[in-house]
Amino acid sequence: MHTREEQMAAFGRFLDVLDTLREKCPWDRKQTNESLRPNTIEETFELCDALMKNDKANICKELGDVLLHVAFYAKIASETGDFDIADVCDRLTEKLIFRHPHVYGEAKADSAGEVAQNWEQIKRKEKDGNKTVLSGVPEALPSLIKAYRIQDKARNVGFDWEKREDVWVKVSEELGELKVELEKDDREAATDEFGDFLFSVINAGRLYHINPDNALERTNRKFIRRFNYVEQAVVNGGRELKDLTLSEMDALWDEAKRQEKP
């Protein structure tokens, strides 16, 4: 690993290159916050994909791409005199110190749970902190992640189940209400109830310390892997998927599952 001096030198070299590109490269010179935003979203998802795969080399690469965007936005702001990368770093550092009084102050916290319980109150004390508990949840978050963050923020101020096992009553209740509306063939009401059911399942995942987004992505990848096995087996047999019966596909699916077992 590099020393702190080497790390600072590498960061300085990176900023020097960015300055040069912003000055001399036609593409870099024309970029704005608006033009970069779609690419930032894409780069963030690519980093998440590498993290999900635990691909260390790709994680390093994608972190660099995300860092480029952070520095690029700061560079654009410096050109209008709003702020620069030093302001970004200083503000972040001060925020970290302020939000960790158990490290930099007199507060006590012996577990991650105790730290989390004080998190929202600390954030609301900040000069530009959230005015309400849930106002800090970005509107643009994907709905599944947003639901998890909403529930977690509510938990931080004590709005949560006393016993996590009790959540299953709510899950069963929401599933029952969904089935009722589906039987009525009321699309609007069923959509509402389906959302309530998903929200309750996400809540269950949170209570049992299972990140629902990670869990669903693992299932997505598992389904793709098994379906690809089925498709390839069919192609190898000189047939097409549309020619198979459901029972034949189920048999190949079970075979794919057996292939995954150690």
Side-chain angles (χ1 to χ4, degrees):
M1 290 293 100
H2 296 88
T3 65
R4 179 52 56 89
E5 290 74 17
E6 290 171 332
Q7 292 172 6
M8 297 302 294
F11 189 66
R13 179 168 176 261
F14 157 62
L15 292 179
D16 288 342
V17 169
L18 180 59
D19 287 346
T20 300
L21 293 177
R22 181 66 171 170
E23 178 185 354
K24 298 182 177 180
C25 173
W27 186 90
D28 289 279
R29 193 165 52 236
K30 70 179 289 189
Q31 297 311 306
T32 64
N33 287 342
E34 291 73 22
S35 67
L36 284 174
R37 181 179 175 275
N39 292 338
T40 304
I41 295 171
E42 181 179 345
E43 296 296 354
T44 302
F45 276 105
E46 289 179 357
L47 172 59
C48 291
D49 188 56
L51 290 167
M52 196 70 190
K53 295 175 180 176
N54 197 29
D55 184 341
K56 302 298 175 59
N58 216 24
I59 290 173
C60 181
K61 170 184 173 297
E62 298 301 340
L63 281 171
D65 291 343
V66 172
L67 177 60
L68 170 59
H69 282 249
V70 172
F72 212 140
Y73 289 120
K75 175 63 179 176
I76 291 172
S78 72
E79 294 167 356
T80 57
D82 294 318
F83 59 86
D84 61 18
I85 193 66
D87 296 309
V88 173
C89 293
D90 285 341
R91 186 167 182 175
L92 173 59
T93 300
E94 292 303 318
K95 180 169 67 175
L96 289 172
I97 292 172
F98 182 78
R99 292 186 182 179
H100 292 79
H102 53 287
V103 176
Y104 294 99
E106 301 300 322
K108 300 295 182 182
D110 297 323
S111 69
E114 292 179 11
V115 174
Q117 286 177 359
N118 296 326
W119 194 256
E120 293 300 327
Q121 288 84 347
I122 292 173
K123 289 169 68 175
R124 292 180 69 182
K125 288 179 183 177
E126 295 173 354
K127 185 173 66 174
D128 58 348
N130 301 325
K131 294 181 174 60
T132 66
V133 172
L134 300 182
S135 62
V137 180
E139 293 185 7
L141 274 181
S143 296
L144 191 152
I145 299 174
K146 185 191 292 186
Y148 187 89
R149 293 293 295 130
I150 288 170
Q151 295 165 2
D152 196 48
K153 283 184 173 290
R155 173 192 64 83
N156 286 336
V157 294
F159 190 73
D160 205 2
W161 300 90
E162 291 186 4
K163 297 179 180 179
R164 66 180 184 178
E165 294 82 5
D166 294 341
V167 74
W168 298 115
V169 176
K170 186 63 174 177
V171 172
S172 297
E173 175 188 319
E174 296 296 352
L175 179 59
E177 292 177 359
L178 170 60
K179 288 180 177 179
V180 168
E181 298 304 333
L182 288 172
E183 290 172 0
K184 292 179 182 178
D185 199 24
D186 185 332
R187 181 60 60 87
E188 281 298 313
T191 299
D192 288 340
E193 294 299 341
F194 193 77
D196 292 346
F197 173 64
L198 288 177
F199 195 84
S200 68
V201 172
I202 292 168
N203 212 357
R206 178 186 61 81
L207 288 164
Y208 284 84
H209 308 293
I210 297 172
N211 185 293
D213 188 63
N214 290 345
L216 182 58
E217 182 56 23
R218 286 175 65 172
T219 295
N220 288 341
R221 293 175 186 274
K222 181 169 58 179
F223 185 92
I224 291 171
R225 186 171 62 248
R226 292 175 181 175
F227 193 85
N228 286 345
Y229 179 93
V230 172
E231 186 175 25
Q232 190 60 50
V234 173
V235 171
N236 291 343
R239 303 174 68 186
E240 296 184 20
L241 280 172
K242 63 183 180 62
D243 297 329
L244 268 68
T245 64
L246 182 57
S247 61
E248 288 176 314
M249 283 192 281
D250 283 340
L252 287 172
W253 185 269
D254 291 338
E255 185 177 310
K257 291 170 64 175
R258 289 194 296 271
Q259 293 289 330
E260 294 177 357
K261 293 182 179 180

